[in-house]
Structures are given as structure tokens and as C-alpha cells.
Amino acid sequence: MLSTRIISLIAVTVTILLPLGVGARADTNRATFPADFDKFDLYATYDRGSSKEEAFALPETIELSKSGKPLPAGTRLVLGIWTDYKLTGYFVMHKGVDWGLDVEEERRTGDWHFQQFGLDKQVNRTAIADRCESCHQSQASNDFMFTIDRMRDYLP
């Protein structure tokens, strides 16, 4: 028979770990900055006074977008963020096989993950991918992209 001390220890452990969701799938962010970013084309610019966003993709990605089909796993899209006329960082939208399973269903954006990077192209750990997900969810019919029309219309 288990001693009262062991039973108490088990009860305390369960009480502490249960609210933390131990055993539940932890969210993972797999988005990485593309090593070949120098090969990406600027396909759209969104000016907002002293702020702007620049959308980049590989030429192959832009060509694939013209088919009207969702972009394939492995696709990376980069958004350059400008504030007060200065480049301040990047957002990367990266798609993988079954990556949507890493995210709770109510936050899922297909198999896309999002991450913010500094000018040094290192992960900005203070960025909150939830904000990207919540906005991009409204674009499910466009493979979760706001810029797909501009990409499809782009001519080099």
C-alpha cells in the first residue's frame, strides 16, 4: 500500500502540472529565415507614410503562385518592415508539411508558421506569432496570404 507521503506527493505534482497542460502538444514555431534571401524578388510594396512593408519571394514561388494553387511546403515569404523610413526587421511566413498540427485548431493558418527576425536575421524572441495567425486566418481562401494577388500579377 502506498504511504500517505507518496500519495500527497503525487497529488501535489498532478495539481501543479495539470494546469500547465503537460501531455498536451506544445506549440512549435518552425519558421526560419531563408539563407538564400539575396535571391528573393521584391514583388510588392505597401507604403504608409513613413512606414512601409516590402513583400519578397523567390522567383520560383512567384511563378508557382500564378497557377492559382496553394503554395507548396518549403515556401518562405519575407516581409521587410520599415518604420520612420528605416528598415527595422523582417517577418517570415514559412510553410511545412503538417505544420498546422503544431498549432491549436482555432489558431491554425493551414501549414504556415510565422516569425519575426531582426536586421541580423536572428529570431526576435519578443515577437508574438499569434498576432500574425489571427490576421492571416481571414485569408483562408487565399492560402492564408494577403499578398497573393500582387504576387500573381508581378512581372519581373
Side-chain angles (χ1 to χ4, degrees):
M1 182 173 222
L2 293 174
S3 73
T4 306
R5 180 177 233 172
I6 293 174
I7 292 172
S8 296
L9 183 59
I10 292 170
V12 167
T13 302
V14 168
T15 303
I16 291 170
L17 294 180
L18 195 56
L20 296 176
V22 172
R25 177 173 233 152
D27 282 358
T28 302
N29 191 329
R30 301 185 197 191
T32 59
F33 199 90
D36 57 352
F37 182 59
D38 60 322
K39 295 178 181 160
F40 279 49
D41 284 344
L42 171 64
Y43 68 87
T45 300
Y46 302 91
D47 286 311
R48 296 177 180 89
S50 66
S51 299
K52 71 177 175 177
E53 296 172 349
E54 296 176 321
F56 298 89
L58 284 169
E60 308 88 76
T61 300
I62 294 168
E63 192 57 37
L64 283 169
S65 76
K66 296 174 189 306
S67 74
K69 296 177 184 174
L71 295 173
T75 298
R76 284 190 189 100
L77 306 173
V78 178
L79 196 64
I81 306 298
W82 292 72
T83 306
D84 295 326
Y85 303 104
K86 293 179 187 172
L87 181 63
T88 58
Y90 301 95
F91 279 99
V92 172
M93 193 172 164
H94 190 171
K95 190 177 199 180
V97 175
D98 293 332
W99 284 8
L101 300 176
D102 293 341
V103 181
E104 298 163 356
E105 189 171 349
E106 62 274 4
R107 290 184 24 231
R108 197 168 294 157
T109 49
D111 288 317
W112 292 101
H113 282 196
F114 303 85
Q115 184 57 267
Q116 184 178 13
F117 294 83
L119 294 177
D120 60 358
K121 301 178 177 99
Q122 298 300 307
V123 171
N124 180 345
R125 295 280 181 208
T126 63
I128 302 170
D130 296 357
R131 290 185 295 182
C132 298
E133 292 164 350
S134 66
C135 258
H136 282 264
Q137 284 176 332
S138 70
Q139 298 300 308
S141 64
N142 293 319
D143 196 19
F144 300 96
M145 294 174 55
F146 284 97
T147 63
I148 192 69
D149 290 338
R150 296 283 297 272
M151 186 182 287
R152 288 177 180 151
D153 292 342
Y154 175 77
L155 298 172

